[in-house]
Amino acid sequence: MGTPGTTDGPTIFALSSAPGRAGVAVFRVSGPMTRNVVQAVCGAVPKPRVAALKTMRDPTGGGVIDRGLVIWFPGPASFTGEDMAEFHCHGGRAVVLAMRSALADCEACQPAEAGDFARRAFQNGKMDLTQAEGLADLIDAETEAQRLQALKQADGALFQKVESWRDDLIGAMALVEAAIDFSDEPDVATDAVSHADERVRGLVDDIGSVLSDQNRGEILRDGFRVVLVGPPNAGKSSLLNALARRDAAIVSEEPGTTRDLIEVRLDLGGVPIILTDTAGLRATESAVEKEGIRRSTESAKRADLALWLDDPEQPFGTWPSDLDQLALPRDAIRRVLSKGDLLSVAQRAAAPPDAILVSAKSGEGLEVLISRIVARTAAVCDADTPVYITQARHREHLSAALEYLHGFGQSGLDVELRAEELRRAAFELGRLTGRVDVEDVLDQVFGRFCIGK
Ligand code: GDP
């Protein structure tokens, strides 16, 4: 992280509200020339952090563009840490175009790229890399559970955890350095190393327990994958459409229609669900259908939950042998009977007691099925157990740090080599928060933002 208040680099501007016709549009400006921009557009600079109603003018021709609110945020107490301003004008297309061209006409002012404001905030020490990622997730959050998780990360939950580990690690490193310095006083050196050992054991336990979270944060961030599997014509596409309440999959009477995977995103009880329809599983000579079936089985393997659909028009079978050959995901709801509306009273009575009877046509059983799916996701969004890791990047650095700490624990090693293991662990934690050497990941992290953030 850089130094707060750093104000080099060009002054940037962007429309920070969504594009298109709207009641209000918000433009943001950040950088050393911001004060001049406010002066040029509004004729005066308002009091810091107080919304002021101003007439906004084109700085070259002087024509009035609009009247709206202007807020001046002198750095370093601003989002980016630099001088910043916001112009709240009316959100009509012509107003937005005129404002954009007025700002572009200001001296040394240029349009921002995606994520530029957040990148400056990171470079000026306003947030670490994990908080920036949390902010991007918050903007992308589609469900309540995703919003809460992203907010926690943006507020620094992971950052604070990693910083406390880093402090402990630096303490352990100081002890090992002392042991090296006092190597001619064996008692002092042994004592220092055993204290370092104790600290590192605590770190190994703590990092290990954060890592053993069953990937809950990643699942919640990326979506809980539910896959619909079963024989052709069982009603999988119809069920997906009924659950998605729209026609996302092709429904056809001809068996073998769904040859590719169709995904819809659903919000069930605040949890993001990615529901995938798959090709029906059956013996086939068709190369295209075979490929569809291969993709189905692959998708079932990666899923968090599989729903097996049985076609009641076929006699109720036992657990299908096809499915036994599938490498099933962690969890499966094994017996969903489709087309419930076609069943006679006798057929209903003969249905296996554990079966969930659904009908895409009448809507019967859909609520029960949804509640069963939601129950299976409960472990993922159990708010009582904190989750810190939300993406693979976090897991990689923490796993690497843990490995170096295990390396330190090998007491046979020379003390200098053990000290090196601690340095490497600290480097991995530094990469996680962006303290050290992260140029290579910056574009990846900040490119995910929209323009204006
Ligand atoms: P898939 O091959 O498993 O995806 O099956 P489809 O969803 O394409 O459905 C196969 C056939 O069953 C179509 O003719 C659907 O209209 C019919 N079908 C699906 N669900 C229901 C249902 O709940 N009730 C009735 N009566 N027919 C259904």
Side-chain angles (χ1 to χ4, degrees):
M1 287 189 281
T3 321
T6 305
T7 53
D8 48 0
T11 296
I12 50 170
F13 73 91
L15 174 69
S16 286
S17 49
R21 184 173 169 269
V24 175
V26 179
F27 279 91
R28 273 172 136 186
V29 181
S30 179
M33 297 297 281
T34 305
R35 173 185 274 277
N36 299 27
V37 172
V38 177
Q39 177 75 42
V41 173
C42 305
V45 179
K47 277 193 211 155
R49 282 169 279 282
V50 176
L53 184 65
K54 295 279 178 197
T55 299
M56 301 169 200
R57 294 173 192 274
D58 185 320
T60 47
V64 174
I65 298 171
D66 196 6
R67 262 173 82 73
L69 295 180
V70 179
I71 313 174
W72 156 241
F73 302 94
S78 69
F79 173 74
T80 57
E82 304 176 324
D83 283 353
M84 277 191 85
E86 280 183 16
F87 296 90
H88 299 214
C89 52
H90 291 98
R93 285 181 213 283
V95 178
V96 166
L97 277 178
M99 253 329 262
R100 188 175 277 140
S101 113
L103 293 173
D105 284 345
C106 290
E107 192 193 339
C109 205
Q110 66 181 52
E113 302 280 338
D116 266 359
F117 291 90
R119 188 190 278 247
R120 286 181 181 206
F122 165 72
Q123 281 164 344
N124 290 330
K126 287 282 169 178
M127 57 173 120
D128 84 308
L129 210 49
T130 67
Q131 287 173 296
E133 287 166 328
L135 201 57
D137 286 351
L138 192 58
I139 293 168
D140 289 340
E142 288 178 348
T143 76
E144 187 61 6
Q146 283 180 320
R147 180 183 70 76
L148 291 172
Q149 172 164 294
L151 192 60
K152 246 170 51 185
Q153 193 179 320
D155 277 350
L158 177 58
F159 171 61
Q160 281 148 20
K161 194 90 187 151
V162 177
E163 284 295 280
S164 81
W165 288 333
R166 207 171 161 277
D167 286 350
D168 277 356
L169 197 47
I170 288 168
M173 284 159 81
L175 287 164
V176 176
E177 293 301 333
I180 294 169
D181 289 348
F182 288 90
S183 52
D184 50 351
E185 292 181 47
D187 287 353
V188 178
T190 311
D191 202 33
V193 170
S194 88
H195 277 107
D197 264 328
E198 203 175 305
R199 273 186 185 231
V200 170
R201 273 197 300 275
L203 273 172
V204 164
D205 287 349
D206 209 12
I207 296 177
S209 80
V210 164
L211 277 167
S212 62
D213 58 1
Q214 292 153 339
N215 298 72
R216 283 163 42 213
E218 287 121 307
I219 292 175
L220 188 55
R221 178 173 180 268
D222 300 336
F224 185 87
R225 304 194 79 89
V226 179
V227 65
L228 283 166
V229 281
N233 253 357
K236 298 181 295 299
S237 307
S238 306
L239 181 61
L240 176 128
N241 286 340
L243 290 170
R245 294 194 185 86
R246 63 191 167 92
D247 286 342
I250 315 153
V251 177
S252 147
E253 281 177 36
E254 188 192 331
T257 313
T258 309
R259 284 169 174 167
D260 214 337
L261 305 177
I262 292 165
E263 282 187 359
V264 290
R265 297 183 74 89
L266 309 174
D267 175 352
L268 297 186
V271 183
I273 306 279
I274 302 168
L275 183 63
T276 310
D277 184 17
T278 60
L281 302 174
R282 64 170 181 176
T284 177
E285 287 309 310
S286 152
V288 178
E289 200 181 339
K290 269 188 184 157
E291 175 58 17
I293 292 173
R294 191 192 65 75
R295 290 185 195 184
S296 299
T297 46
E298 279 302 307
S299 166
K301 252 188 257 175
R302 285 198 312 270
D304 299 299
L305 174 69
L307 300 183
W308 176 268
L309 224 70
D310 257 343
D311 186 352
E313 289 178 309
Q314 319 292 329
F316 297 138
T318 50
W319 181 237
S321 56
D322 287 3
L323 200 61
D324 285 338
Q325 285 161 22
L326 280 181
L328 273 180
R330 287 176 247 204
D331 201 1
I333 295 178
R334 299 191 166 220
R335 185 58 63 80
V336 183
L337 287 182
S338 62
K339 309 182 193 179
D341 56 296
L342 296 180
L343 294 183
S344 66
V345 176
Q347 279 175 312
R348 281 170 177 270
D354 62 336
I356 305 173
L357 227 76
V358 297
S359 165
K361 215 157 232 175
S362 70
E364 177 193 356
L366 295 185
E367 288 310 315
V368 177
L369 182 60
I370 288 173
S371 67
R372 289 282 291 275
I373 298 172
V374 169
R376 298 299 233 273
T377 66
V380 174
C381 36
D382 165 18
D384 295 339
T385 330
V387 163
Y388 295 97
I389 299 171
T390 60
Q391 44 185 301
R393 194 185 76 80
H394 307 159
R395 193 169 293 284
E396 281 158 21
H397 290 306
L398 284 185
S399 304
L402 190 61
E403 211 155 293
Y404 290 127
L405 293 178
H406 281 308
F408 174 82
Q410 292 171 356
S411 49
L413 275 187
D414 175 82
V415 70
E416 302 261 2
L417 291 177
R418 297 183 76 194
E420 183 56 23
E421 299 286 326
L422 292 190
R423 272 192 287 277
R424 288 184 178 172
F427 179 76
E428 292 296 336
L429 296 186
R431 292 258 301 159
L432 177 48
T433 57
R435 264 184 187 277
V436 291
D437 186 32
V438 282
E439 274 308 310
D440 52 333
V441 295
L442 292 187
D443 286 344
Q444 218 175 315
V445 172
F446 293 103
R448 278 189 50 224
F449 281 91
C450 34
I451 290 177
K453 189 66 200 174

